[in-house]
Amino acid sequence: MNTKGINNFRSIAIVFTMAMLFFSCEDNYKRVGDEAIKKMFPSAVAEDFVLTYTETDELPKNEGVVSSHVVAVLKSPLSNDFDNLLFPHRTFPNGLIIEFFNEKGEKSTITADYGIVYSSTNLVDLQGNVVIESSDGKKLEAPQLYWDRSNEWIFTQQKFKYTNPEEGTIMDGEGMDFNRDFSFFNANKTYGYMSIKEKKIEND
């Protein structure tokens, strides 16, 4: 074999070796990447899910009877249970409805496109077209809300729209917190008020 033929053979061998190394590294990279992403699977899936939250009534000790009443009911067409993880939670990918009941039995509702209930912290994360409607007609709209079940408190740092038919006003703002029946409402930042009554008069 002449010198030219030997050089060509060496060049082909080098290119082939480099190609093998490249594909080998690429394959290892892909497999390492797949292993790095831990896939999470729910331990249980429930359709037409209903979860009832109750509160124990305070009774005299000598009564010997334990009484409770319903404070909230959570409903969803689909629930994924991830309570088997280190940070247990339950997701509601197809949306959910939460109904609140006060001492008089009056109902307020929360609807959202997506929800997460964190078991260890008693916190509910509501996302996407979140709407709260109280029994007296008050309405709050926001892209995201948090419900602290332990303290019965609802809050957000997102923008919101609050409609109060009693006062005949609509308020736009950003960041607020309140209790479940709207008896206490605190807005961090407001952009202005619009009177519903004045708007109706102008339309008439």
Side-chain angles (χ1 to χ4, degrees):
M1 183 180 292
N2 58 28
T3 305
K4 184 176 181 181
I6 294 173
N7 290 336
N8 288 338
F9 178 78
R10 287 178 178 174
S11 299
I12 293 171
I14 292 171
V15 170
F16 181 76
T17 303
M18 292 298 293
M20 290 295 293
L21 288 172
F22 174 78
F23 285 116
S24 176
C25 292
E26 184 181 23
D27 180 62
N28 288 335
Y29 174 78
K30 286 183 178 179
R31 285 190 283 109
V32 170
D34 290 339
E35 292 169 0
I37 301 173
K38 295 183 179 180
K39 297 180 180 180
M40 296 188 301
F41 297 97
S43 59
V45 177
E47 295 182 349
D48 299 323
F49 180 83
V50 178
L51 180 62
T52 302
Y53 299 96
T54 58
E55 191 174 79
T56 303
D57 299 323
E58 295 183 3
L59 297 173
K61 294 182 179 180
N62 57 358
E63 291 288 337
V65 179
V66 178
S67 177
S68 62
H69 64 279
V70 176
V71 294
V73 178
L74 189 156
K75 302 177 182 179
S76 177
L78 183 66
S79 172
N80 294 323
D81 188 349
F82 293 94
D83 282 345
N84 57 323
L85 301 179
L86 292 177
F87 196 65
H89 62 280
R90 184 184 294 272
T91 64
F92 303 91
N94 295 342
L96 71 163
I97 299 173
I98 302 176
E99 299 174 338
F100 294 99
F101 299 91
N102 60 16
E103 296 177 354
K104 298 179 181 179
E106 298 170 333
K107 182 176 71 175
S108 300
T109 62
I110 299 180
T111 59
D113 294 339
Y114 183 84
I116 308 175
V117 176
Y118 296 100
S119 308
S120 57
T121 59
N122 281 328
L123 189 69
V124 181
D125 181 3
L126 303 165
Q127 303 174 18
N129 298 311
V130 185
V131 178
I132 301 181
E133 294 183 89
S134 64
S135 57
D136 56 1
K138 296 184 180 70
K139 185 177 181 181
L140 180 76
E141 302 167 77
Q144 184 178 27
L145 286 175
Y146 292 98
W147 172 34
D148 183 351
R149 290 187 294 165
S150 299
N151 299 309
E152 294 298 338
W153 209 252
I154 301 171
F155 59 94
T156 184
Q157 295 300 319
Q158 303 288 333
K159 292 182 179 180
F160 67 86
K161 180 180 179 181
Y162 176 60
T163 304
N164 188 339
E166 291 182 351
E167 299 178 358
T169 58
I170 296 177
M171 176 176 65
D172 291 318
E174 184 175 350
M176 56 81 203
D177 59 287
F178 57 94
N179 55 2
R180 66 187 184 192
D181 59 359
F182 284 103
S183 59
F184 177 86
F185 186 95
N186 176 52
N188 298 341
K189 184 187 298 183
T190 58
Y191 299 129
Y193 291 83
M194 181 177 68
S195 175
I196 303 174
K197 294 179 181 179
E198 290 179 2
K199 187 176 180 181
K200 289 183 177 180
I201 294 172
E202 290 176 0
N203 291 338
D204 293 341

